[in-house]
Amino acid sequence: MKVKDFMAEQEGYILRMPSLLFSIYNKIPKACVMTYGCQQNVSDSERMKGMLEKMGYEITEEAENADFVLFNTCAVRGHAEDRVLGNIGAMKKLKKINKNMIIAVCGCMAQQDIIIDKLKKSYPYVDIVFGTHVQYRLPEFLYKRLKGSPRIFENSQGDSIIENIPVHRDGTFKGWLPIMYGCNNFCSYCIVPYVRGRERSRHPDEILKEAKELIAKGYKDITLLGQNVNSYGAGCDFGINFAKLLRKINAIEGDFRIRFMTSHPKDCTTELLDAMRDCEKVSRHLHLPFQSGSNRILKLMNRKYTREDYLSLIKAAKERMPDISLTSDIIVGFPGETYEDFKETLSLVKEVEFSSLFTFIFSPRNGTPAAQMEDTVSREEKGKWFDELLKVQEEIGDKINDSLVGKTVRVLCDDYGRSQGKVAGHTNGTAVVEFDGDCSDLGKFITVKIERKSNVLEGTRIKE
């Protein structure tokens, strides 16, 4: 079946939903979407909220007041799965109160057979379970269940990209823009390729169309999303790679900022770094996960680059953009890792001087090669390493913030400050600065001079 035929079928269900909903609830029903995990999940939820609104639902943040509750789940770490299952368990009482409540689970957890079996057997009040490849079929699943079909479980895979799905944007000036889905890398610890499938790139025309729509609506901070944005366009006949895509988006008229995540070091090129340097709207921020500073552990992780490769990329980035803000991901305590391996990670952190780090103690994922590897280091010992890493990074972060004092920066005001009369904004990198302001400043670019550093950076606005 062609992609457009799939959407025509779903639009048919959407058109039939309002009358069905009114016949059941005799009011405008409310839908609550609870999102866990990465920015890609947040973007997926925005599209599912868009479909729900088209069906006739009102979006709410309160599950206890909802007639439809959707859990969009993450499977990257065990703690995330446990938290989701605990929250799904709490829905049992709410469903007893609202007999017509529909409960659904989707996302990465729902793509796994082991989770589907658990939901079938232990959570009988869950009505619909569907995986990452069929999220666009939400109208169909809801319609059928409301019409009395048996519980629905669907985690089939596919390689289609469905376009023109309505979107309910959660923000008003910061927007998510997916450019690709899936991953081909199969890092030994990662479940993503198994639950998200192989890499599929959106057509550049569709991406540019969505980018222009965001800019026309006043969005100032646009983040391009993909499990590995650096491999955008690989295997496609677009003739456009990620570096060229950045240049095309940068050429769109308007005052806005472009961010992207996540990048894989093995596919990060000097062509991309040149594009970042040349494109004035691209943020001077590169999130480049290195995971471990030890070549032995990187090989066990199947990362396909070496410590030396990574440091060469960092050198090239700093040569082109001396003001670049660098962030990364680190896994502490990978199976087989020794303290000597960990010290190599520490030395890399000290050499690069990251603005911030996302650090995790290794969590085995069922179905990945790393889950079968022998792991002899205790959780307690890994915790000590973890604390040591945090201390090193805290000192580096303080040093970087100290270096910003006295500088004049352009920030996008995106939040309120810690006290009345204060607002906060992000620089072109990742630093957050507080300054005097009010709600009228939110969503605006403002020039600020950084005056001091306390718990946060503090500045004064410069009249332009």
Side-chain angles (χ1 to χ4, degrees):
M1 192 180 291
K2 295 180 181 179
V3 170
K4 65 178 182 180
D5 294 328
F6 275 114
M7 281 316 298
E9 184 179 12
Q10 295 309 308
E11 286 166 1
Y13 286 113
I14 288 173
L15 290 173
R16 283 178 274 173
M17 279 292 289
S19 59
L20 175 59
L21 291 173
F22 189 78
S23 70
I24 294 171
Y25 299 106
N26 197 30
K27 63 172 185 176
I28 297 176
K30 295 182 178 181
C32 176
V33 178
M34 304 176 71
T35 308
Y36 302 81
C38 67
Q39 290 86 353
Q40 184 66 65
N41 272 16
V42 174
S43 176
D44 289 345
S45 288
E46 288 186 336
R47 279 160 167 72
M48 287 185 282
K49 288 177 185 177
M51 288 187 280
L52 288 165
E53 284 184 325
K54 287 284 186 181
M55 285 183 260
Y57 283 95
E58 176 187 333
I59 304 301
T60 178
E61 300 295 319
E62 300 170 346
E64 58 270 22
N65 295 326
D67 302 290
F68 174 63
V69 179
L70 174 62
F71 292 85
N72 187 8
T73 64
C74 172
V76 172
R77 291 174 186 85
H79 176 69
E81 286 191 358
D82 294 340
R83 187 159 61 99
V84 170
L85 291 173
N87 290 339
I88 294 172
M91 298 302 299
K92 184 176 182 179
K93 290 182 180 179
L94 292 181
K95 189 149 185 177
K96 284 183 178 180
I97 297 170
N98 183 357
K99 302 292 184 184
N100 290 321
M101 175 185 279
I102 300 293
I103 300 171
V105 180
C106 72
C108 294
M109 281 177 61
Q111 194 65 41
Q112 303 172 91
D113 290 337
I114 189 172
I115 295 295
I116 286 185
D117 290 341
K118 183 179 290 189
L119 292 170
K120 277 182 181 179
K121 295 172 184 176
S122 303
Y123 300 81
Y125 44 89
V126 172
D127 299 276
I128 305 169
V129 180
F130 57 101
T132 58
H133 297 263
V134 292
Q135 289 175 349
Y136 68 95
R137 291 175 61 189
L138 174 58
E140 173 190 348
F141 299 147
L142 253 177
Y143 182 85
K144 288 181 176 178
R145 183 58 174 162
L146 286 168
K147 289 289 283 185
S149 83
R151 298 167 72 200
I152 294 170
F153 298 89
E154 179 61 76
N155 69 339
S156 58
Q157 296 195 16
D159 57 5
S160 296
I161 291 179
I162 310 300
E163 297 289 0
N164 300 315
I165 295 175
V167 184
H168 167 99
R169 300 283 178 185
D170 292 330
T172 56
F173 50 86
K174 298 175 78 170
W176 309 109
L177 176 50
I179 65 169
M180 62 185 300
Y181 303 93
C183 183
N184 291 348
N185 288 311
F186 289 93
C187 300
S188 63
Y189 53 83
C190 187
I191 195 69
V192 168
Y194 304 95
V195 295
R196 285 280 181 180
R198 303 296 80 76
E199 289 177 353
R200 287 112 51 215
S201 296
R202 294 180 70 189
H203 195 283
D205 290 348
E206 294 292 341
I207 296 169
L208 291 170
K209 174 186 171 185
E210 189 169 345
K212 289 174 182 177
E213 289 171 353
L214 284 165
I215 295 159
K217 290 178 180 177
Y219 284 81
K220 300 295 186 182
D221 190 294
I222 299 171
T223 301
L224 312 180
L225 297 177
Q227 266 72 41
N228 177 18
V229 293
N230 292 349
S231 59
Y232 171 80
C236 300
D237 57 4
F238 307 150
I240 294 179
N241 60 16
F242 185 52
K244 291 183 174 67
L245 180 67
L246 275 184
R247 292 182 184 274
K248 284 184 172 291
I249 297 174
N250 185 78
I252 299 173
E253 289 188 11
D255 188 10
F256 61 95
R257 185 181 287 166
I258 306 165
R259 299 184 184 273
F260 59 86
M261 61 176 27
T262 294
S263 295
H264 194 296
K266 79 175 180 62
D267 299 309
C268 186
T269 63
T270 53
E271 182 187 4
L272 171 60
L273 299 177
D274 288 343
M276 292 181 66
R277 175 197 61 201
D278 298 341
C279 295
E280 74 281 359
K281 295 170 186 172
V282 175
S283 173
R284 291 292 190 267
H285 169 223
L286 180 61
H287 183 71
L288 196 63
F290 73 91
Q291 305 298 1
S292 173
S294 162
N295 283 336
R296 188 178 73 84
I297 298 302
L298 287 173
K299 188 172 182 180
L300 288 174
M301 289 178 168
N302 194 35
R303 291 291 285 175
K304 299 184 178 70
Y305 57 84
T306 64
R307 174 193 179 96
E308 291 73 25
D309 294 333
Y310 188 88
L311 289 173
S312 177
L313 277 173
I314 296 300
K315 180 182 178 183
K318 288 183 175 181
E319 286 174 348
R320 287 163 173 79
M321 298 165 282
D323 61 339
I324 193 166
S325 172
L326 297 163
T327 58
S328 193
D329 296 348
I330 298 175
I331 296 174
V332 174
F334 188 80
E337 184 175 356
T338 65
Y339 185 63
E340 292 304 312
D341 294 314
F342 173 70
K343 285 199 295 186
E344 292 190 61
T345 295
L346 280 183
S347 69
L348 190 148
V349 168
K350 292 175 182 177
E351 182 172 348
V352 174
E353 295 191 326
F354 296 94
S355 298
S356 64
L357 292 173
F358 297 87
T359 53
F360 312 93
I361 294 178
F362 173 73
S363 172
R365 299 285 74 217
N366 186 51
T368 63
Q372 307 303 317
M373 295 179 181
E374 185 179 8
D375 191 358
T376 58
V377 179
S378 69
R379 181 79 179 186
E380 181 183 10
E381 184 64 18
K382 292 179 183 181
K384 293 178 181 178
W385 300 357
F386 187 82
D387 291 341
E388 188 174 353
L389 173 61
L390 293 184
K391 183 178 179 182
V392 168
Q393 180 54 39
E394 184 178 354
E395 292 171 353
I396 293 170
D398 283 342
K399 176 183 173 184
I400 291 174
N401 283 340
D402 286 338
S403 71
L404 293 173
V405 174
K407 292 187 176 180
T408 298
V409 294
R410 191 172 188 243
V411 304
L412 175 61
C413 182
D414 55 16
D415 203 354
Y416 292 102
R418 297 166 300 163
S419 57
Q420 184 124 12
K422 295 285 185 180
V423 290
H426 280 81
T427 66
N428 197 24
T430 58
V432 177
V433 186
E434 279 195 359
F435 52 96
D436 291 337
D438 56 37
C439 60
S440 66
D441 293 316
L442 295 176
K444 296 179 181 178
F445 286 110
I446 296 172
T447 302
V448 177
K449 182 178 181 181
I450 301 174
E451 303 283 4
R452 68 192 69 84
K453 185 198 78 173
S454 55
N455 293 330
V456 297
L457 292 171
E458 300 176 13
T460 56
R461 58 201 302 158
I462 305 296
K463 291 184 179 180
E464 299 183 70

